[in-house]
Amino acid sequence: MKVAVTADGAKQLIFCPACKHAHGYDSARWKWNGEQEKATFTPSHVHAGANGKCHINVTDGIIIFHPDCEHPLRGTRIPLPDIDS
């Protein structure tokens, strides 16, 4: 599974291979197309954590790492990895 959904359905989670943990999408703030394998979330997501800034888009099951990321995957595109539920 590429996207995990909380029990109440209010949040979706994806695994970020750059940050090595999940990023959460709150359904009140982000739109999700409802697809597990080819997920798309809008707008972009910015996470500031121990590994620095991570700025991504998830489009058609691909994580797009923006050039302003502060980790080695900046400027790359990779398929959305599986996440444990």
Side-chain angles (χ1 to χ4, degrees):
M1 148 177 33
K2 309 289 183 190
V3 179
V5 180
T6 58
D8 63 3
K11 195 174 210 179
Q12 298 80 42
L13 304 167
I14 63 157
F15 181 77
C16 177
C19 296
K20 309 284 191 250
H21 62 78
H23 289 324
Y25 290 86
D26 183 329
S27 59
R29 183 171 176 189
W30 285 278
K31 292 187 187 269
W32 174 39
N33 67 350
E35 295 286 328
Q36 288 286 335
E37 295 299 312
K38 297 222 177 239
T40 296
F41 292 95
T42 55
S44 68
H45 188 282
V46 178
H47 175 82
N51 296 332
K53 180 180 177 182
C54 183
H55 183 189
I56 63 173
N57 275 87
V58 177
T59 305
D60 293 327
I62 304 293
I63 301 175
I64 303 163
F65 293 96
H66 289 249
D68 61 342
C69 289
E70 297 173 340
H71 53 66
L73 291 180
R74 72 180 160 271
T76 64
R77 296 169 179 247
I78 63 163
L80 194 59
D82 286 327
I83 186 168
D84 295 328
S85 8

